[in-house]
Amino acid sequence: MLDQARIDTLAAQDVRPGAHIIDGERRGASDGGEMDVISPLNGKVLTTIPRGTRVDAERAIASARRAFEDGRWAELPPAARKRTLLKWADLIEANALELAVLGVRDNGTEIGMAFKAEPLSAVATIRYYAEAIDKLYGEIAPTDPSVLALVHRAPVGVVGAIVPWNFPLMIGAWKVAPALAAGNSVVLKPAETASLTLLRIAELALEAGIPPGVFNVVTGEGAVVGEAMGLSMDVDVLVFTGSGPVGRRLLEYSAKSNLKRVYLELGGKSPNIVFADAPDLTEAVKVSANGIFRNAGQVCVAGSRLLVERAIHDEFVSKLAEFVKTMSVGNPLDLSTSAGAVNSLRQLDQNLRFVDEARSAGRVVIGGARILEETGGYFMEPTIVTGVDPSDPIAQNEVFGPVVAVIPFDSEGEAVRIANGTDYGLAAAVWTRDLSRAHRMIRAIRAGVVHVNTYGGPDVTVPIGGVKQSGNGHDKSLHAFDKYLDLKTAWIKL
Ligand code: NAD
């Protein structure tokens, strides 16, 4: 059980300045100086982190390369890497509340969600890949008996990981855990506005016994540190979660450098489709609201397009508006808060710009404004926009805020056409009692995950990844290893 008094005590503590973790050491700012970490809870400076330079990034990459080449980690027996990773997971678990509170002060996610989705999810992910790595086998190919053909799985080398500000620990662990379990070295760049918890777990990694240079974290701007990683000739694989425009840049960096493989997890405009025969409308309303408004809508799989069958459209929208009135938006460190802060002023402004256009057409049913401005924090009301045409900007573009666009439909075929009518393909949901329809929809919708009569919740055992412009490759599940292990054939004449 989370304890409010303990959370308040932790939240009152000063946060020491962050430092890169390079070659097993904490390193403060070099020529780039420091950057302020602004808390979205009050708009005040929480602490500083180094504004990493190209040289810092290159130093981290060189240390990862050295660590990989001398085999200090890659050549350990998988069971030894497993033991160390399990120790790391234990240390993160022991520090889970501290990490959760630190993360909330840094990025604004409500504490109840952050505790589970951040440190505890990272712990589960690290344990999953640690436990898996000494159970992966190579192959013997069914060749002519005059040869023996072995298919080895070898670590790729140096992995660069660039992650966003929503759920840094969860998304970071999805990349770092399988990469390290497989024997690679990693250089990770957190988002400018969510670096602190990743720096802290990198310190815990050293404490657990992950050798120096194997896991490095360099903070700073994407256009400097991220670009240096993208253009490096010494990064073998780049894994990324973030926006489409930055994803495109990473592909360019790869083409301009060593053709490193680039795996992208990008945004979404996920359709949440409610048929009139949904099993329980009250449940559908509650889950749909949480599926878009929790974490102030800053969830890549958020159900930001709500498609409702016309027969129940008005009833559903009015129930949704009633539910929204029961949600408490505000201080994310308060356990009773159901939706926390928007991560940055820039993101808040972007959210409001999207809503303004809908407001001028009189389509905002509830919400649409910045609130609690007197706190200095970045808070926004959950917002419902109705009468949306599938081609409207608010139905086509990822807002990445607490804004849902409601679109009516009349038939299953129309629902599928609307659902598939964006450049994205990350997640979807279907609410229906009809099993056959549910399966037809799962087949027809182009998305990485289709929920049925629920929204969200898939754990580390299943892959997550997008189709179309939502990305390529998958995080989570055993399939994630494919990004971090090369296949190598040994063809042996007998
Ligand atoms: P962003 O693309 O702006 O930044 C992501 C990371 O890329 C940050 O670390 C940033 O510093 C870095 N970066 C920025 N410019 C760069 C450059 N030129 N070269 C290299 N790196 C650079 O995204 P964000 O605003 O932090 O996160 C929100 C986005 O992430 C949303 O679009 C959201 O949908 C997406 N997202 C996707 C998933 C998924 O799994 N598909 C999960 C979470 C978030």
Side-chain angles (χ1 to χ4, degrees):
M1 263 308 263
L2 290 175
D3 171 33
Q4 188 67 56
R6 177 107 178 88
I7 291 168
D8 294 344
T9 307
L10 288 166
Q13 291 172 1
D14 287 341
V15 179
R16 70 179 170 153
H20 306 301
I21 302 292
I22 299 177
D23 212 5
E25 286 173 11
R26 273 175 62 83
R27 295 211 184 188
S30 58
D31 298 348
E34 279 154 356
M35 52 205 293
D36 287 340
V37 173
I38 308 287
S39 175
L41 279 55
N42 53 22
K44 293 193 178 133
V45 177
L46 179 63
T47 186
T48 58
I49 50 172
R51 188 186 297 278
T53 61
R54 175 170 303 280
V55 173
D56 294 323
E58 282 164 1
R59 194 172 284 150
I61 294 165
S63 93
R65 173 59 59 193
R66 273 194 308 279
F68 182 71
E69 299 299 340
D70 72 15
R72 68 186 83 165
W73 179 249
E75 286 172 24
L76 291 179
R81 291 202 298 271
K82 161 172 138 175
R83 279 194 297 278
T84 307
L85 289 170
L86 290 176
K87 259 190 226 161
W88 186 31
D90 289 346
L91 285 173
I92 296 173
E93 190 172 45
N95 290 276
L97 190 60
E98 286 85 340
L99 281 161
V101 171
L102 181 64
V104 171
R105 294 171 81 190
D106 197 5
N107 85 339
T109 304
E110 53 277 6
I111 185 76
M113 177 185 240
F115 185 65
K116 286 193 220 132
E118 282 281 276
L120 293 191
S121 138
V123 167
T125 300
I126 294 167
R127 286 186 179 145
Y128 177 87
Y129 289 106
E131 287 291 356
I133 196 62
D134 61 353
K135 296 163 191 77
L136 287 186
Y137 292 76
E139 295 165 6
I140 298 177
T143 56
D144 181 298
S146 66
V147 291
L148 173 63
L150 308 176
V151 183
H152 294 263
R153 304 185 86 186
V156 294
V158 175
V159 172
I162 302 179
V163 297
W165 42 260
N166 61 333
F167 308 112
L169 287 183
M170 176 171 78
I171 293 171
W174 287 349
K175 299 181 190 313
V176 173
L180 290 181
N184 301 287
S185 297
V186 174
V187 177
L188 177 132
K189 196 208 91 63
E192 293 84 327
T193 55
S195 297
L196 300 175
T197 52
L198 286 164
L199 289 172
R200 179 72 187 120
I201 68 162
E203 290 177 347
L204 295 175
L206 290 168
E207 205 176 314
I210 294 180
V214 170
F215 178 34
N216 308 272
V217 180
V218 183
T219 60
E221 288 164 9
V224 178
V225 176
E227 184 181 270
M229 289 165 65
L231 290 172
S232 170
M233 299 299 284
D234 244 340
V235 170
D236 299 292
V237 164
L238 196 56
V239 288
F240 173 74
T241 294
S243 61
V246 175
R248 282 172 201 274
R249 277 186 178 245
L250 300 188
L251 292 169
E252 282 174 27
Y253 299 152
S254 167
K256 284 182 183 155
S257 56
N258 60 347
L259 296 177
K260 57 180 70 61
R261 270 168 276 162
V262 178
Y263 295 101
L264 306 172
E265 305 286 343
L266 308 174
K269 192 73 198 177
S270 300
N272 178 24
I273 306 166
V274 187
F275 285 94
D277 69 350
D280 178 348
L281 271 198
T282 308
E283 174 73 2
V285 163
K286 186 180 95 187
V287 175
S288 300
N290 287 327
I292 175 64
F293 298 131
R294 296 294 304 272
N295 197 24
Q298 301 161 128
V299 179
C300 54
V301 295
S304 54
R305 284 186 300 156
L306 178 61
L307 277 54
V308 188
E309 193 164 3
R310 203 176 298 275
I312 57 160
H313 175 274
D314 294 354
E315 179 192 357
F316 198 85
V317 170
S318 95
K319 283 188 165 166
L320 188 66
E322 283 311 308
F323 185 85
V324 163
K325 287 182 198 154
T326 69
M327 295 183 82
S328 59
V329 180
N331 181 4
L333 288 165
D334 187 332
L335 279 170
S336 63
T337 295
S338 42
V342 174
N343 177 259
S344 66
L345 206 48
R346 203 184 90 203
Q347 182 66 49
L348 178 63
D349 288 342
Q350 180 180 309
N351 298 348
L352 295 172
R353 272 200 304 279
F354 269 107
V355 174
D356 278 349
E357 197 187 306
R359 198 198 315 276
S360 56
R363 296 201 247 111
V364 176
V365 171
I366 194 166
R370 179 176 183 180
I371 50 172
L372 302 171
E373 211 169 334
E374 66 284 2
T375 62
Y378 314 142
F379 299 100
M380 180 172 170
E381 293 173 307
T383 304
I384 304 174
V385 179
T386 52
V388 175
D389 186 86
S391 63
D392 287 348
I394 206 161
Q396 287 291 321
N397 301 304
E398 183 180 46
V399 178
F400 218 55
V403 181
V404 69
V406 189
I407 306 170
F409 68 88
D410 289 299
S411 67
E412 194 178 306
E414 189 188 8
V416 170
R417 274 194 303 282
I418 297 172
N420 288 339
T422 72
D423 290 336
Y424 295 108
L426 190 54
V430 180
W431 296 82
T432 180
R433 235 184 259 276
D434 180 338
L435 190 60
S436 301
R437 169 187 276 160
H439 283 290
R440 284 196 300 272
M441 296 294 283
I442 292 167
R443 281 199 193 155
I445 294 174
R446 297 194 62 203
V449 55
V450 181
H451 307 87
V452 177
N453 296 332
T454 187
Y455 205 102
D459 67 18
V460 67
T461 59
V462 289
I464 181 171
V467 296
K468 303 200 285 184
Q469 292 182 35
S470 286
N472 58 13
H474 291 92
D475 281 329
K476 304 200 302 174
S477 83
L478 295 181
H479 296 287
F481 276 129
D482 294 345
K483 297 189 290 195
Y484 306 110
L485 288 165
D486 276 330
L487 298 180
K488 181 192 274 183
T489 297
W491 185 263
I492 305 163
K493 174 130 180 46
L494 299 179

